[in-house]
Amino acid sequence: MVAKQLLISSVVIMVSTALQLQKSSRDRLVHDILDNYHSSVEPSGRIELKFGLSLLCVRFDGTAPSLLKTSAWEKYTWSDYRLSWNPKDYDGIDKLRLPDSLLWKPDIDCYYAITAEERTTENIIVESDGTVSWFPRSIYSTLCLVKNDSAVCELSFGSWTYDAWTVTLETEGEAVETTSYLNATCPWIVTGHTARVKTAVYPCCKEPYSSLDVTLELRRN
């Protein structure tokens, strides 16, 4: 009986020690990568930003028939060398989830939005090689005309302050996904869509700016 109790106590101590070691390694890792890190400063060099949308629902506001509200998960991936580490130095930890308020994020907005975007606060996933992934949920309000229970609507996304020499927009796979679309409950369905990255120079500035231009073909459900 005594031997059994000693064995159980030893196992408990070993498990507690392992958990404490893991916690200490994670705390140490977070401290090390965020020490002297400034979330207001972008990574150095050209940032290749992969951006896309996973559509959830589109609907027209009942009080303003031409006001389209688009709900989607935004998908961001970029690299930040300041957030890289060797997992061997931290007991094999190769991924962290951190509050998005702690890290630099690209200022991508919907250019055609007539009201401020609604964007949720989500954790950012950071991998040991410096790959950063962020998937906030957003709602955009834009204008689009409806004709005979169908509509063709345009959305354009880009940075207001970072030119294409600093942040280059790219797509990975399908830029617009509809696999998570709520067909059963949304009053409008997406019958087709296109997306392309455009780089242009505007009268205001000498630098080029990148945007992701999206066209949605809609039909009343």
Side-chain angles (χ1 to χ4, degrees), residues 73-93:
W73 290 107
E74 295 177 336
K75 303 179 297 179
Y76 298 87
T77 303
W78 68 93
S79 181
D80 191 336
Y81 70 95
R82 299 172 296 177
L83 300 175
S84 60
W85 70 90
N86 187 344
K88 294 181 180 179
D89 296 334
Y90 300 92
D91 296 302
I93 297 173

PDB file of all heavy atoms in Angstrom, residues 73-93:
ATOM      1  N   TRP A  73     -14.824  35.791 -43.208  1.00  0.00           N
ATOM      2  CA  TRP A  73     -13.558  35.621 -42.502  1.00  0.00           C
ATOM      3  C   TRP A  73     -12.458  36.151 -43.419  1.00  0.00           C
ATOM      4  O   TRP A  73     -12.378  35.769 -44.574  1.00  0.00           O
ATOM      5  CB  TRP A  73     -13.290  34.149 -42.199  1.00  0.00           C
ATOM      6  CG  TRP A  73     -14.180  33.548 -41.160  1.00  0.00           C
ATOM      7  CD1 TRP A  73     -15.190  32.668 -41.365  1.00  0.00           C
ATOM      8  CD2 TRP A  73     -14.121  33.769 -39.747  1.00  0.00           C
ATOM      9  NE1 TRP A  73     -15.785  32.330 -40.172  1.00  0.00           N
ATOM     10  CE2 TRP A  73     -15.144  32.981 -39.156  1.00  0.00           C
ATOM     11  CE3 TRP A  73     -13.309  34.533 -38.917  1.00  0.00           C
ATOM     12  CZ2 TRP A  73     -15.376  32.966 -37.783  1.00  0.00           C
ATOM     13  CZ3 TRP A  73     -13.542  34.508 -37.541  1.00  0.00           C
ATOM     14  CH2 TRP A  73     -14.560  33.736 -36.993  1.00  0.00           C
ATOM     15  N   GLU A  74     -11.640  37.056 -42.908  1.00  0.00           N
ATOM     16  CA  GLU A  74     -10.476  37.513 -43.663  1.00  0.00           C
ATOM     17  C   GLU A  74      -9.302  36.591 -43.353  1.00  0.00           C
ATOM     18  O   GLU A  74      -9.111  36.182 -42.211  1.00  0.00           O
ATOM     19  CB  GLU A  74     -10.122  38.954 -43.289  1.00  0.00           C
ATOM     20  CG  GLU A  74     -11.192  39.947 -43.665  1.00  0.00           C
ATOM     21  CD  GLU A  74     -10.844  41.358 -43.228  1.00  0.00           C
ATOM     22  OE1 GLU A  74     -10.036  41.512 -42.274  1.00  0.00           O
ATOM     23  OE2 GLU A  74     -11.367  42.297 -43.824  1.00  0.00           O
ATOM     24  N   LYS A  75      -8.508  36.288 -44.370  1.00  0.00           N
ATOM     25  CA  LYS A  75      -7.371  35.373 -44.201  1.00  0.00           C
ATOM     26  C   LYS A  75      -6.072  36.121 -44.547  1.00  0.00           C
ATOM     27  O   LYS A  75      -5.890  36.559 -45.684  1.00  0.00           O
ATOM     28  CB  LYS A  75      -7.534  34.158 -45.105  1.00  0.00           C
ATOM     29  CG  LYS A  75      -8.832  33.381 -44.884  1.00  0.00           C
ATOM     30  CD  LYS A  75      -8.944  32.207 -45.834  1.00  0.00           C
ATOM     31  CE  LYS A  75      -9.001  32.667 -47.287  1.00  0.00           C
ATOM     32  NZ  LYS A  75      -9.091  31.523 -48.218  1.00  0.00           N
ATOM     33  N   TYR A  76      -5.219  36.274 -43.560  1.00  0.00           N
ATOM     34  CA  TYR A  76      -3.942  36.965 -43.744  1.00  0.00           C
ATOM     35  C   TYR A  76      -2.796  36.010 -43.395  1.00  0.00           C
ATOM     36  O   TYR A  76      -2.845  35.318 -42.380  1.00  0.00           O
ATOM     37  CB  TYR A  76      -3.819  38.170 -42.816  1.00  0.00           C
ATOM     38  CG  TYR A  76      -4.825  39.272 -43.002  1.00  0.00           C
ATOM     39  CD1 TYR A  76      -6.054  39.235 -42.353  1.00  0.00           C
ATOM     40  CD2 TYR A  76      -4.534  40.372 -43.791  1.00  0.00           C
ATOM     41  CE1 TYR A  76      -6.970  40.259 -42.503  1.00  0.00           C
ATOM     42  CE2 TYR A  76      -5.444  41.415 -43.939  1.00  0.00           C
ATOM     43  CZ  TYR A  76      -6.658  41.353 -43.289  1.00  0.00           C
ATOM     44  OH  TYR A  76      -7.567  42.374 -43.428  1.00  0.00           O
ATOM     45  N   THR A  77      -1.769  36.039 -44.212  1.00  0.00           N
ATOM     46  CA  THR A  77      -0.533  35.326 -43.882  1.00  0.00           C
ATOM     47  C   THR A  77       0.647  36.173 -44.335  1.00  0.00           C
ATOM     48  O   THR A  77       0.663  36.658 -45.474  1.00  0.00           O
ATOM     49  CB  THR A  77      -0.468  33.947 -44.569  1.00  0.00           C
ATOM     50  OG1 THR A  77      -1.612  33.176 -44.207  1.00  0.00           O
ATOM     51  CG2 THR A  77       0.784  33.193 -44.142  1.00  0.00           C
ATOM     52  N   TRP A  78       1.619  36.353 -43.456  1.00  0.00           N
ATOM     53  CA  TRP A  78       2.841  37.075 -43.812  1.00  0.00           C
ATOM     54  C   TRP A  78       3.984  36.544 -42.960  1.00  0.00           C
ATOM     55  O   TRP A  78       3.789  35.678 -42.107  1.00  0.00           O
ATOM     56  CB  TRP A  78       2.664  38.590 -43.629  1.00  0.00           C
ATOM     57  CG  TRP A  78       2.523  39.070 -42.224  1.00  0.00           C
ATOM     58  CD1 TRP A  78       3.501  39.517 -41.390  1.00  0.00           C
ATOM     59  CD2 TRP A  78       1.296  39.186 -41.467  1.00  0.00           C
ATOM     60  NE1 TRP A  78       2.986  39.892 -40.165  1.00  0.00           N
ATOM     61  CE2 TRP A  78       1.633  39.699 -40.195  1.00  0.00           C
ATOM     62  CE3 TRP A  78      -0.040  38.899 -41.740  1.00  0.00           C
ATOM     63  CZ2 TRP A  78       0.681  39.933 -39.206  1.00  0.00           C
ATOM     64  CZ3 TRP A  78      -0.988  39.131 -40.752  1.00  0.00           C
ATOM     65  CH2 TRP A  78      -0.629  39.635 -39.524  1.00  0.00           C
ATOM     66  N   SER A  79       5.171  37.054 -43.178  1.00  0.00           N
ATOM     67  CA  SER A  79       6.350  36.600 -42.438  1.00  0.00           C
ATOM     68  C   SER A  79       6.942  37.769 -41.665  1.00  0.00           C
ATOM     69  O   SER A  79       7.066  38.882 -42.192  1.00  0.00           O
ATOM     70  CB  SER A  79       7.396  36.018 -43.404  1.00  0.00           C
ATOM     71  OG  SER A  79       8.531  35.549 -42.687  1.00  0.00           O
ATOM     72  N   ASP A  80       7.272  37.501 -40.406  1.00  0.00           N
ATOM     73  CA  ASP A  80       7.905  38.514 -39.553  1.00  0.00           C
ATOM     74  C   ASP A  80       9.097  37.854 -38.870  1.00  0.00           C
ATOM     75  O   ASP A  80       8.930  37.056 -37.936  1.00  0.00           O
ATOM     76  CB  ASP A  80       6.903  39.033 -38.523  1.00  0.00           C
ATOM     77  CG  ASP A  80       7.417  40.270 -37.779  1.00  0.00           C
ATOM     78  OD1 ASP A  80       8.652  40.444 -37.711  1.00  0.00           O
ATOM     79  OD2 ASP A  80       6.582  41.036 -37.256  1.00  0.00           O
ATOM     80  N   TYR A  81      10.290  38.171 -39.348  1.00  0.00           N
ATOM     81  CA  TYR A  81      11.504  37.516 -38.856  1.00  0.00           C
ATOM     82  C   TYR A  81      11.704  37.754 -37.367  1.00  0.00           C
ATOM     83  O   TYR A  81      12.351  36.956 -36.667  1.00  0.00           O
ATOM     84  CB  TYR A  81      12.725  38.033 -39.620  1.00  0.00           C
ATOM     85  CG  TYR A  81      13.087  39.458 -39.288  1.00  0.00           C
ATOM     86  CD1 TYR A  81      14.043  39.759 -38.319  1.00  0.00           C
ATOM     87  CD2 TYR A  81      12.454  40.527 -39.925  1.00  0.00           C
ATOM     88  CE1 TYR A  81      14.363  41.062 -37.993  1.00  0.00           C
ATOM     89  CE2 TYR A  81      12.756  41.830 -39.607  1.00  0.00           C
ATOM     90  CZ  TYR A  81      13.711  42.102 -38.654  1.00  0.00           C
ATOM     91  OH  TYR A  81      14.000  43.393 -38.329  1.00  0.00           O
ATOM     92  N   ARG A  82      11.140  38.824 -36.822  1.00  0.00           N
ATOM     93  CA  ARG A  82      11.312  39.148 -35.407  1.00  0.00           C
ATOM     94  C   ARG A  82      10.602  38.135 -34.508  1.00  0.00           C
ATOM     95  O   ARG A  82      10.873  38.052 -33.310  1.00  0.00           O
ATOM     96  CB  ARG A  82      10.769  40.553 -35.119  1.00  0.00           C
ATOM     97  CG  ARG A  82      11.460  41.657 -35.895  1.00  0.00           C
ATOM     98  CD  ARG A  82      10.736  42.974 -35.713  1.00  0.00           C
ATOM     99  NE  ARG A  82       9.373  42.933 -36.262  1.00  0.00           N
ATOM    100  CZ  ARG A  82       8.503  43.946 -36.176  1.00  0.00           C
ATOM    101  NH1 ARG A  82       8.852  45.055 -35.538  1.00  0.00           N
ATOM    102  NH2 ARG A  82       7.281  43.831 -36.710  1.00  0.00           N
ATOM    103  N   LEU A  83       9.670  37.359 -35.102  1.00  0.00           N
ATOM    104  CA  LEU A  83       8.869  36.413 -34.335  1.00  0.00           C
ATOM    105  C   LEU A  83       9.290  34.971 -34.594  1.00  0.00           C
ATOM    106  O   LEU A  83       8.487  34.050 -34.462  1.00  0.00           O
ATOM    107  CB  LEU A  83       7.383  36.599 -34.687  1.00  0.00           C
ATOM    108  CG  LEU A  83       6.808  37.991 -34.399  1.00  0.00           C
ATOM    109  CD1 LEU A  83       5.381  38.087 -34.908  1.00  0.00           C
ATOM    110  CD2 LEU A  83       6.868  38.304 -32.906  1.00  0.00           C
ATOM    111  N   SER A  84      10.533  34.764 -34.980  1.00  0.00           N
ATOM    112  CA  SER A  84      11.031  33.407 -35.233  1.00  0.00           C
ATOM    113  C   SER A  84      11.882  32.941 -34.060  1.00  0.00           C
ATOM    114  O   SER A  84      12.469  33.746 -33.329  1.00  0.00           O
ATOM    115  CB  SER A  84      11.832  33.362 -36.532  1.00  0.00           C
ATOM    116  OG  SER A  84      12.943  34.236 -36.474  1.00  0.00           O
ATOM    117  N   TRP A  85      11.943  31.616 -33.882  1.00  0.00           N
ATOM    118  CA  TRP A  85      12.726  31.035 -32.800  1.00  0.00           C
ATOM    119  C   TRP A  85      13.080  29.586 -33.129  1.00  0.00           C
ATOM    120  O   TRP A  85      12.522  28.988 -34.060  1.00  0.00           O
ATOM    121  CB  TRP A  85      11.968  31.115 -31.479  1.00  0.00           C
ATOM    122  CG  TRP A  85      10.770  30.213 -31.394  1.00  0.00           C
ATOM    123  CD1 TRP A  85      10.721  28.928 -30.941  1.00  0.00           C
ATOM    124  CD2 TRP A  85       9.421  30.528 -31.788  1.00  0.00           C
ATOM    125  NE1 TRP A  85       9.445  28.427 -31.014  1.00  0.00           N
ATOM    126  CE2 TRP A  85       8.628  29.386 -31.537  1.00  0.00           C
ATOM    127  CE3 TRP A  85       8.812  31.658 -32.337  1.00  0.00           C
ATOM    128  CZ2 TRP A  85       7.259  29.345 -31.803  1.00  0.00           C
ATOM    129  CZ3 TRP A  85       7.452  31.624 -32.604  1.00  0.00           C
ATOM    130  CH2 TRP A  85       6.695  30.481 -32.343  1.00  0.00           C
ATOM    131  N   ASN A  86      13.994  29.031 -32.360  1.00  0.00           N
ATOM    132  CA  ASN A  86      14.375  27.633 -32.501  1.00  0.00           C
ATOM    133  C   ASN A  86      13.585  26.811 -31.483  1.00  0.00           C
ATOM    134  O   ASN A  86      13.780  26.967 -30.280  1.00  0.00           O
ATOM    135  CB  ASN A  86      15.874  27.460 -32.264  1.00  0.00           C
ATOM    136  CG  ASN A  86      16.354  26.042 -32.563  1.00  0.00           C
ATOM    137  OD1 ASN A  86      15.557  25.106 -32.667  1.00  0.00           O
ATOM    138  ND2 ASN A  86      17.659  25.879 -32.704  1.00  0.00           N
ATOM    139  N   PRO A  87      12.688  25.942 -31.939  1.00  0.00           N
ATOM    140  CA  PRO A  87      11.880  25.153 -30.989  1.00  0.00           C
ATOM    141  C   PRO A  87      12.716  24.352 -30.001  1.00  0.00           C
ATOM    142  O   PRO A  87      12.264  24.096 -28.872  1.00  0.00           O
ATOM    143  CB  PRO A  87      11.073  24.229 -31.911  1.00  0.00           C
ATOM    144  CG  PRO A  87      10.998  24.953 -33.219  1.00  0.00           C
ATOM    145  CD  PRO A  87      12.314  25.660 -33.343  1.00  0.00           C
ATOM    146  N   LYS A  88      13.920  23.956 -30.384  1.00  0.00           N
ATOM    147  CA  LYS A  88      14.766  23.171 -29.484  1.00  0.00           C
ATOM    148  C   LYS A  88      15.130  23.948 -28.217  1.00  0.00           C
ATOM    149  O   LYS A  88      15.406  23.358 -27.184  1.00  0.00           O
ATOM    150  CB  LYS A  88      16.043  22.738 -30.204  1.00  0.00           C
ATOM    151  CG  LYS A  88      15.816  21.754 -31.351  1.00  0.00           C
ATOM    152  CD  LYS A  88      17.127  21.365 -32.000  1.00  0.00           C
ATOM    153  CE  LYS A  88      16.913  20.381 -33.131  1.00  0.00           C
ATOM    154  NZ  LYS A  88      18.191  19.991 -33.801  1.00  0.00           N
ATOM    155  N   ASP A  89      15.119  25.274 -28.316  1.00  0.00           N
ATOM    156  CA  ASP A  89      15.454  26.096 -27.157  1.00  0.00           C
ATOM    157  C   ASP A  89      14.276  26.274 -26.207  1.00  0.00           C
ATOM    158  O   ASP A  89      14.437  26.842 -25.118  1.00  0.00           O
ATOM    159  CB  ASP A  89      15.939  27.475 -27.620  1.00  0.00           C
ATOM    160  CG  ASP A  89      17.231  27.407 -28.418  1.00  0.00           C
ATOM    161  OD1 ASP A  89      17.990  26.441 -28.207  1.00  0.00           O
ATOM    162  OD2 ASP A  89      17.460  28.296 -29.256  1.00  0.00           O
ATOM    163  N   TYR A  90      13.088  25.824 -26.643  1.00  0.00           N
ATOM    164  CA  TYR A  90      11.887  26.031 -25.837  1.00  0.00           C
ATOM    165  C   TYR A  90      11.064  24.736 -25.743  1.00  0.00           C
ATOM    166  O   TYR A  90       9.850  24.743 -25.927  1.00  0.00           O
ATOM    167  CB  TYR A  90      11.046  27.162 -26.430  1.00  0.00           C
ATOM    168  CG  TYR A  90      11.788  28.480 -26.488  1.00  0.00           C
ATOM    169  CD1 TYR A  90      12.502  28.838 -27.636  1.00  0.00           C
ATOM    170  CD2 TYR A  90      11.808  29.342 -25.396  1.00  0.00           C
ATOM    171  CE1 TYR A  90      13.195  30.031 -27.696  1.00  0.00           C
ATOM    172  CE2 TYR A  90      12.502  30.539 -25.451  1.00  0.00           C
ATOM    173  CZ  TYR A  90      13.197  30.875 -26.596  1.00  0.00           C
ATOM    174  OH  TYR A  90      13.881  32.063 -26.649  1.00  0.00           O
ATOM    175  N   ASP A  91      11.758  23.630 -25.482  1.00  0.00           N
ATOM    176  CA  ASP A  91      11.106  22.339 -25.265  1.00  0.00           C
ATOM    177  C   ASP A  91      10.173  21.947 -26.405  1.00  0.00           C
ATOM    178  O   ASP A  91       9.093  21.401 -26.167  1.00  0.00           O
ATOM    179  CB  ASP A  91      10.336  22.344 -23.937  1.00  0.00           C
ATOM    180  CG  ASP A  91      11.257  22.504 -22.743  1.00  0.00           C
ATOM    181  OD1 ASP A  91      12.169  21.663 -22.585  1.00  0.00           O
ATOM    182  OD2 ASP A  91      11.099  23.476 -21.987  1.00  0.00           O
ATOM    183  N   GLY A  92      10.584  22.259 -27.624  1.00  0.00           N
ATOM    184  CA  GLY A  92       9.843  21.798 -28.785  1.00  0.00           C
ATOM    185  C   GLY A  92       8.638  22.641 -29.170  1.00  0.00           C
ATOM    186  O   GLY A  92       7.916  22.277 -30.109  1.00  0.00           O
ATOM    187  N   ILE A  93       8.385  23.739 -28.495  1.00  0.00           N
ATOM    188  CA  ILE A  93       7.239  24.585 -28.846  1.00  0.00           C
ATOM    189  C   ILE A  93       7.489  25.209 -30.220  1.00  0.00           C
ATOM    190  O   ILE A  93       8.489  25.901 -30.427  1.00  0.00           O
ATOM    191  CB  ILE A  93       7.034  25.693 -27.796  1.00  0.00           C
ATOM    192  CG1 ILE A  93       6.708  25.077 -26.439  1.00  0.00           C
ATOM    193  CG2 ILE A  93       5.914  26.640 -28.227  1.00  0.00           C
ATOM    194  CD1 ILE A  93       6.643  26.084 -25.306  1.00  0.00           C
TER     195      ILE A  93
END
